[in-house]
Amino acid sequence: MMWRYLGRRPMSTLATDWWHNVGIAPKDPILSITEAFFADSSPNKINLGVGAYRDDEGKPVVLQCVRDAEAKITGCEFLESLSRQGNVKLVEESAKLAYGENSDVVKEGRFAGVQALSGTGACRLFAEFQRRFRPESQIYLPSPTWSNHHNIWRDARVPSRTYHYYDPESKGLHFGALMDDVKNAPDHSFFLLHPCAHNPTGVDPTEEQWREISHQFKVKSSQII
Ligand SMILES: Cc1ncc(COP(=O)(O)O)c(C=O)c1O
C-alpha cells in the first residue's frame, strides 16, 4: 500500500515529520540466531534457529507433495476475488486434515473456518474476532510461546495470560500444571494450542495427554451456563 501526501511541503521535511514517532521494532530473539549464523565464519556452522528442514548442503527441503500442489496451482485458472470466507474448498479440506475425514465434527459440519493469510494472519483474525464477539474474554498462551503471539493479542487489545507448558527441570511438558490452568481458567477463556512442533520448545503432548486436555476442555465447556 502506498500513501501520497497532497500538501505543499517538500517531501524530505514531511518524511521526517511523519516517521519520527515510529521506532524500530524489537528483534525476534529466534532471528538473532540466524544473524549470528551469517556473521560466523566457521565452515562447520549449522543454523538451528529456523524451524525448517535443510538438506546436507543447507538448502531448504521441499516435500514432493508441496511441489505437486505448487504445480497444480500454477496450472489452475486465475481466480478473481474469493468470497469473504476465502477459498471454501481449502477451508473444508483443512478441517478434514485437522479433525479427520470421518470424524463427527466433519460429518456433522460442526466447524467454522475462514482462509487467512499465514499463521500470523490467522492469529490476528482470531484475536479481532475474540475482541468483537467475546470482549470480556482473555487468551491463554503457553509459556513460553512464539514471541509474536504476545504482540498479536496485545495489538488487538485482548488481555492475555500464560498457562504452564514447558518444565525446564524435566525438559518436557508441565502436564499437571497445564491441566490445572485449564481447570482454573475463567469461563469463556480461550487457549492457544500448538497442535504439533511447539514453537520454541519442540515439546508436544502425547496422544493420551491430548485426549486428557481435550476432555478437560469439554468438561469446562459443559459447565458454562
Ligand atoms: C506457533 C507459530 N504461530 C504462528 C507462526 C507464524 O506463522 P506464519 O509465518 O505463517 O505467519 C509461527 C511461525 O513460526 C509459529 O511457529
Side-chain angles (χ1 to χ4, degrees), residues 28-124:
D28 180 334
I30 292 182
L31 296 185
S32 66
I33 298 176
T34 298
E35 283 173 21
F37 171 80
F38 284 121
D40 191 337
S41 55
S42 166
N44 299 321
K45 61 186 179 177
I46 299 174
N47 181 3
L48 298 177
V50 175
Y53 291 116
R54 294 282 184 267
D55 64 17
D56 290 344
E57 282 158 27
K59 303 222 171 82
V61 175
V62 183
L63 300 176
Q64 192 51 43
C65 57
V66 175
R67 293 267 184 238
D68 293 347
E70 201 177 39
K72 271 192 195 168
I73 293 168
T74 317
C76 270
E77 280 183 29
F78 179 73
L79 286 172
E80 289 204 339
S81 298
L82 292 166
S83 73
R84 285 189 299 171
Q85 196 187 350
N87 186 327
V88 177
K89 184 86 178 140
L90 175 80
V91 173
E92 286 170 358
E93 294 301 316
S94 304
K96 287 183 198 164
L97 187 66
Y99 293 105
E101 195 156 354
N102 296 317
S103 63
D104 293 346
V105 171
V106 168
K107 281 201 269 186
E108 294 165 20
R110 287 192 285 114
F111 65 88
V114 289
Q115 182 182 0
L117 200 59
S118 81
T120 310
C123 290
R124 177 66 195 222

Side-chain angles (χ1 to χ4, degrees), residues 117-121 123 145-146 149 152 192 194 197-199:
L117 200 59
S118 81
T120 310
C123 290
T145 194
W146 182 52
H149 287 148
I152 291 167
L192 179 124
H194 298 210
H198 178 270
N199 182 356

